[in-house]
């Protein structure tokens, strides 16, 4: 049970960085910064996912209440957000470093990926914050 608190701390810190940087990049449209933050964001997404799965297993195992269903919905939303960022920004990043890339179009694609992922992460944050009270 002593590992729960460090897992919660890692989950929250990784989630805050991931969601916060996604929200900021969705509004700023700064593609070069988005390219540089791609790996740290995906690392934070993996950390948030792994610690969230651990916490869900330890704290919600065997509970099929509405709070658990809400948390699972938030987890699915986070996984979709990670998939959107991974695919859309990952592809754009590979093209960004290639020859003859249309940087304006790639920048728009990167911003759109952050906007989609940001909306999904808002849903995730809301479900995680409200699950205890349902």
């Amino acid at each position: 049970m002593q590992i729960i608190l460090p897992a919660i701390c890692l989950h929250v810190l990784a989630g805050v960085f991931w969601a916060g940087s996604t929200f900021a990049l969705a509004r700023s449209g700064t593609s070069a910064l988005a390219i540089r933050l791609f790996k740290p964001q995906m690392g934070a997404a993996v950390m948030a996912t792994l610690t969230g799965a651990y916490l869900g297993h330890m704290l919600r195992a065997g509970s099929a209440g509405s709070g658990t269903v809400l948390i699972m919905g938030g987890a699915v939303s986070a996984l979709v957000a990670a998939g959107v960022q991974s695919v859309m920004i990952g592809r754009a990043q590979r093209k960004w470093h290639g020859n003859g890339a249309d940087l304006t179009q790639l920048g728009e694609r990167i911003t759109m990926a952050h906007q989609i992922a940001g909306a999904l992460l808002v849903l995730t944050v809301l479900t995680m914050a409200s699950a205890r009270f349902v």
Side-chain angles (χ1 to χ4, degrees), residues 22-23 26 77-78 80-85 88-89 108-124:
T22 298
F23 301 152
S77 180
V80 172
V84 165
Q85 285 178 304
M88 291 180 73
I89 299 170
E108 290 171 358
R109 183 173 297 156
I110 290 168
T111 300
M112 181 174 41
H114 281 111
Q115 291 169 343
I116 293 167
L120 290 164
L121 290 173
V122 164
L123 182 61
T124 299

Side-chain angles (χ1 to χ4, degrees), residues 4-125:
I4 296 291
L5 185 57
I8 290 171
C9 291
L10 284 173
H11 183 68
V12 169
L13 288 173
V16 165
F17 172 75
W18 179 25
S21 61
T22 298
F23 301 152
L25 291 167
R27 298 280 300 152
S28 74
T30 310
S31 304
L33 180 58
I35 294 295
R36 286 196 331 222
L37 283 176
F38 177 66
K39 286 182 182 178
Q41 279 188 306
M42 292 299 93
V46 168
M47 179 61 72
T49 301
L50 292 176
T51 54
Y54 171 76
L55 291 168
H57 173 70
M58 295 302 290
L59 301 176
R60 297 268 180 185
S63 168
S66 56
T68 300
V69 171
L70 196 57
I71 289 226
M72 293 307 293
V76 168
S77 180
L79 290 172
V80 172
V84 165
Q85 285 178 304
S86 170
V87 170
M88 291 180 73
I89 299 170
R91 284 182 184 163
Q93 183 182 32
R94 285 187 294 279
K95 290 180 182 177
W96 187 275
H97 298 296
N99 292 330
D102 181 1
L103 297 183
T104 303
Q105 184 181 19
L106 289 177
E108 290 171 358
R109 183 173 297 156
I110 290 168
T111 300
M112 181 174 41
H114 281 111
Q115 291 169 343
I116 293 167
L120 290 164
L121 290 173
V122 164
L123 182 61
T124 299
V125 169

